[in-house]
Amino acid sequence: MGEENKEADLEQRAIYTTSKGDRVSLNPDVPMNHKWFKGEFHFGPWGGDSSQFKGDSKDRVRVSMIGERLSPTVRNGIASATGVITAVIDPEDRDLIGQTGWWKLQDLSKKTKIRRAA
């Protein structure tokens, strides 16, 4: 299944309201991009004990971030993205909607780097 089909399937299954019926309202004048994440997220700055754990979703959550394209932050070889949860897949995750935090994208230190001879 291609990435576009996967995204479309997630969008169709998405739940956009909390258990209380609240929904995240985004400003249509601000360019936003969206990405689906699974797993734990944090709200503190990077680094040891200051990266406080905020939550862990049972399934994927849709995170909306400012900007037309995803612009990850890289610190200590780890890329992350910061945003607000605007939709979830699992009904048990509904109360995570509206939570802000950062999600780990990838561990760049484990990637193989190819160096070319000068």
Side-chain angles (χ1 to χ4, degrees):
M1 181 183 268
E3 190 65 30
E4 274 185 33
N5 291 339
K6 190 176 185 180
E7 293 277 329
D9 177 55
L10 290 170
E11 292 290 339
Q12 283 185 327
R13 295 175 28 216
I15 301 167
Y16 291 90
T17 57
T18 67
S19 58
K20 295 177 184 173
D22 297 330
R23 185 181 181 120
V24 173
S25 177
L26 301 174
N27 184 340
D29 296 331
V30 177
M32 300 291 280
N33 69 84
H34 314 282
K35 183 167 177 56
W36 289 92
F37 290 99
K38 186 174 183 178
E40 68 180 38
F41 63 103
H42 303 262
F43 68 96
W46 274 101
D49 296 331
S50 66
S51 297
Q52 297 96 343
F53 177 75
K54 189 161 189 181
D56 195 357
S57 60
K58 297 197 180 301
D59 203 339
R60 294 184 187 273
V61 295
R62 181 179 185 253
V63 179
S64 299
M65 298 158 278
I66 294 177
E68 291 182 20
R69 282 180 265 165
L70 181 64
S71 300
T73 301
V74 179
R75 289 193 182 100
N76 299 326
I78 299 172
S80 69
T82 302
V84 61
I85 297 174
T86 53
V88 298
I89 297 298
D90 192 308
E92 290 185 37
D93 291 334
R94 290 178 84 161
D95 291 326
L96 294 178
I97 295 173
Q99 296 286 322
T100 58
W102 59 261
W103 285 259
K104 184 174 166 182
L105 293 174
Q106 60 188 352
D107 188 341
L108 300 177
S109 64
K110 293 180 182 174
K111 283 186 134 184
T112 311
K113 294 184 179 179
I114 300 171
R115 295 186 181 205
R116 295 183 186 191

